[in-house]
């Protein structure tokens, strides 16, 4: 059996005060003092110093708590008023803009900021890739219109510019990332627009405490520009819960959210693997606002790429060499280790080497005067390129260009 004794008067007073404070009923200071005095009249003796002291302390604490609650309520009221005034200012500013006000022409901004020049260079540098170029133009259009709105004083916000590039190697992902950085810099959405390319080895450490400094160092280099993470799915290892890549991913997620106005992060890799990566890291997918797929090149497009590469190197592919290269690239596409434009670049480099050996041998021939003409120095002949017969002779699995 448990016997419950009646409360003493001072205890009853204490309970009553706590009840009023918890019920958001606050006693003024003069009422609190009167409350204490009444307890003395109702039976507290001078010898009950301990109980009286405890009650006084409790009353003081309740007064402090009530003051904090009042201050917090006042602070919230002031913040609500500031937010209301801010919204009203926006409405007043919008109403003050004449209906026929002009912010400028799109063409003017495209020329003035150099965006049109970069888009034209993208067309020149990259053969084909029509869907990719269209997506880049859409992003550029959004940035131009956003700037026009800003000129009129309309409310603007920085869109999510983080991207995902999916496709096979050699399809132009790095080139497009570089051009996007230049567009963002010209439009004022990044400070420098430079490109930093990184892989798992650049971001993930080999021991505890090594990953965070490596990842932050790469991010620091890319601040104000674009960070391209190639084969980003290697950052996550589903078979190992203790893999250090998870730490790097968490840092990247935080940067993508908190520093989105100062850095653009581009994740690149094969589409199927990137889709699987996003299924493991849903927070990453939600932060990427632009998904661009890079298709494989057709043989005709690869021939055009080879001509562009020769042009940039101040070479010319002879008319007889074009069908040789075309048949070569068609065969090469069916073999292992094919990498689209990278394979073309390697084939052109091999042709340059063969042309150099051909001219060198000709110059040292006894029947030659040793002179080499400008045309010879600039022309790649059909025998300078690897033929289909040579590919077949070397074997299907041979790593050749």
């Amino acid at each position: 059996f448990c016997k419950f004794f009646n409360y003493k008067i001072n205890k009853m007073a204490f309970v009553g005060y706590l009840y009023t404070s918890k019920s958001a009923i606050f006693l003024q200071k003069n009422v609190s003092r009167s409350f204490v005095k009444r307890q003395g009249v109702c039976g507290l003796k001078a010898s009950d110093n301990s109980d009286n002291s405890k009650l006084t302390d409790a009353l003081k604490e309740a007064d402090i708590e009530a003051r904090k609650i009042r201050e917090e309520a006042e602070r919230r009221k002031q913040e609500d008023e500031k937010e209301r005034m801010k919204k009203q200012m926006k409405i007043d500013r919008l109403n003050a803009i004449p209906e026929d006000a002009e912010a400028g022409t799109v063409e003017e901004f495209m020329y003035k900021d150099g965006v049109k020049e970069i888009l034209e260079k993208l067309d020149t540098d990259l053969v084909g890739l029509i869907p990719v170029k269209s997506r880049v133009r859409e992003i550029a259009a959004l940035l131009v219109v956003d700037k026009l709105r800003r000129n009129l004083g309309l409310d603007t916000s920085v869109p999510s510019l983080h991207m995902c590039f999916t496709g096979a190697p050699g399809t132009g992902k790095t080139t497009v990332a570089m051009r996007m950085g230049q567009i963002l810099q010209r439009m004022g959405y990044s400070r420098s627009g430079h490109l930093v390319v990184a892989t798992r080895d650049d971001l993930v450490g080999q021991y505890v405490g090594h990953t965070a400094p490596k990842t932050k160092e790469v991010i620091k280099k890319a601040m104000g520009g674009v960070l391209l993470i190639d084969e980003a799915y290697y950052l996550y290892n589903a078979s190992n819960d203790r893999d250090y890549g998870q730490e790097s991913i968490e840092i990247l997620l935080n940067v993508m959210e908190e520093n989105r106005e100062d850095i653009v992060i581009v994740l690149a890799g094969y589409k199927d693997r990137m889709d699987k990566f996003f299924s493991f890291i849903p927070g990453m997918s939600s932060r990427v606002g632009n998904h661009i797929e890079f298709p494989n090149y057709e043989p005709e497009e690869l021939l055009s790429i080879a001509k562009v590469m020769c042009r940039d190197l101040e070479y010319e592919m002879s008319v007889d060499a074009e069908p040789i290269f075309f048949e070569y690239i068609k065969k090469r596409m069916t073999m292992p280790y094919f990498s689209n434009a990278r394979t073309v670049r390697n084939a052109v480099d091999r042709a340059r080497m063969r042309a150099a050996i051909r001219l060198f041998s000709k110059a040292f021939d006894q029947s030659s005067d040793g002179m080499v003409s400008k045309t010879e120095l600039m022309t790649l002949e059909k025998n300078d390129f690897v033929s289909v017969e040579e590919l077949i002779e070397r074997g299907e699995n041979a790593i050749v260009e």
Side-chain angles (χ1 to χ4, degrees):
F1 293 94
C2 295
K3 185 176 182 180
F4 291 84
F5 296 96
N6 292 328
Y7 282 110
K8 293 182 180 180
I9 293 176
N10 62 325
K11 299 293 185 182
M12 289 288 289
F14 178 56
V15 171
Y17 192 85
L18 290 181
Y19 176 78
T20 58
S21 63
K22 289 182 177 180
S23 301
I25 302 173
F26 307 111
L27 301 180
Q28 297 179 353
K29 290 186 177 180
N30 58 341
V31 177
S32 300
R33 295 192 192 97
S34 175
F35 195 47
V36 176
K37 289 180 181 179
R38 282 177 178 272
Q39 293 173 67
V41 174
C42 293
L44 285 177
K45 298 179 180 178
S47 59
D48 294 334
N49 290 333
S50 176
D51 290 339
N52 194 28
S53 176
K54 289 179 180 179
L55 180 60
T56 302
D57 292 342
L59 292 173
K60 288 180 179 178
E61 290 178 6
D63 283 340
I64 294 172
E65 185 66 25
R67 178 171 55 81
K68 289 181 178 178
I69 292 173
R70 288 195 299 271
E71 290 176 352
E72 178 63 22
E74 184 64 25
R75 186 186 66 79
R76 287 199 300 267
K77 183 179 178 181
Q78 291 177 357
E79 287 183 354
D80 291 343
E81 181 63 19
K82 287 181 181 179
E83 188 64 27
R84 187 192 67 78
M85 291 179 64
K86 187 177 178 181
K87 290 181 179 178
Q88 187 59 45
M89 287 175 64
K90 285 184 179 180
I91 294 172
D92 294 340
R93 188 172 66 246
L94 183 62
N95 292 334
I97 300 173
E99 292 294 333
D100 57 349
E102 295 182 355
T105 65
V106 173
E107 193 73 13
E108 175 189 350
F109 275 88
M110 293 285 282
Y111 272 113
K112 185 175 68 174
D113 293 320
V115 177
K116 190 175 184 66
E117 176 191 348
I118 296 172
L119 292 176
E120 288 175 351
K121 192 168 180 58
L122 189 65
D123 280 333
T124 305
D125 291 348
L126 289 181
V127 175
L129 298 180
I130 302 301
V132 175
K133 293 175 182 176
S134 298
R135 192 74 178 96
V136 172
R137 288 180 182 278
E138 290 171 6
I139 296 172
L142 171 63
L143 300 181
V144 170
V145 171
D146 191 62
K147 202 162 187 178
L148 289 170
R149 287 174 55 85
R150 194 182 305 170
N151 271 11
L152 282 180
L154 297 174
D155 192 22
T156 61
S157 61
V158 178
S160 176
L161 295 173
H162 302 305
M163 305 177 193
C164 174
F165 291 172
T166 55
T171 49
K173 295 187 290 294
T174 303
T175 302
V176 172
M178 182 172 62
R179 296 287 176 248
M180 278 304 306
Q182 294 172 352
I183 292 173
L184 294 174
Q185 189 270 332
R186 298 285 181 90
M187 294 297 299
Y189 285 91
S190 67
R191 286 182 281 113
S192 59
H194 66 288
L195 176 67
V196 175
V197 181
T199 61
R200 175 188 166 94
D201 292 340
D202 302 306
L203 299 169
V204 182
Q206 302 298 318
Y207 50 85
V208 176
H210 190 210
T211 297
K214 288 190 71 173
T215 302
K216 290 178 181 178
E217 181 63 26
V218 173
I219 291 172
K220 183 179 178 181
K221 291 179 182 177
M223 277 295 177
V226 178
L227 172 59
L228 173 65
I229 304 176
D230 198 15
E231 296 182 311
Y233 33 75
Y234 286 129
L235 289 176
Y236 183 79
N237 187 353
S239 61
N240 184 2
D241 294 337
R242 298 183 179 181
D243 183 69
Y244 300 132
Q246 183 63 40
E247 184 180 359
S248 180
I249 291 172
E250 291 172 359
I251 295 172
L252 288 170
L253 288 172
N254 184 63
V255 170
M256 291 172 77
E257 188 66 29
E258 300 297 327
N259 301 91
R260 59 185 177 184
E261 296 186 6
D262 201 30
I263 187 173
V264 174
I265 295 180
V266 180
L267 309 174
Y270 289 101
K271 187 177 187 330
D272 56 342
R273 298 185 187 181
M274 287 304 301
D275 290 342
K276 191 174 182 181
F277 172 70
F278 285 137
S279 70
F280 289 128
I281 317 291
M284 186 72 79
S285 178
S286 62
R287 286 169 171 80
V288 176
N290 301 281
H291 294 260
I292 303 178
E293 186 173 357
F294 289 68
N296 288 324
Y297 287 105
E298 297 296 327
E300 294 80 8
E301 292 174 331
L302 292 170
L303 175 59
S304 298
I305 290 173
K307 291 181 179 179
V308 170
M309 290 180 177
C310 290
R311 181 200 65 198
D312 292 342
L313 294 168
E314 297 186 341
Y315 279 93
E316 289 182 4
M317 186 184 297
S318 68
V319 178
D320 294 337
E322 289 185 19
I324 300 297
F325 179 82
F326 185 73
E327 293 301 322
Y328 157 81
I329 207 66
K330 283 170 59 179
K331 176 62 178 176
R332 187 68 183 84
M333 290 174 71
T334 64
M335 298 174 65
Y337 313 112
F338 176 72
S339 300
N340 288 281
R342 292 180 189 170
T343 298
V344 172
R345 182 183 59 197
N346 292 337
V348 171
D349 287 342
R350 175 66 63 87
R352 289 172 57 204
M353 185 180 297
R354 285 188 168 191
I357 295 173
R358 173 173 55 79
L359 293 175
F360 188 83
S361 301
K362 179 183 175 182
F364 275 91
D365 190 89
Q366 292 182 352
S367 61
S368 173
D369 58 1
M371 297 297 294
V372 180
S373 67
K374 178 183 176 181
T375 303
E376 289 177 319
L377 289 172
M378 294 183 62
T379 306
L380 296 177
E381 303 290 350
K382 65 177 184 179
N383 292 331
D384 297 331
F385 290 94
V386 177
S387 65
V388 174
E389 290 74 22
E390 289 181 80
L391 281 181
I392 296 174
E393 185 180 344
R394 294 176 184 179
E396 288 290 327
N397 295 321
I399 303 177
V400 294
E401 301 301 345

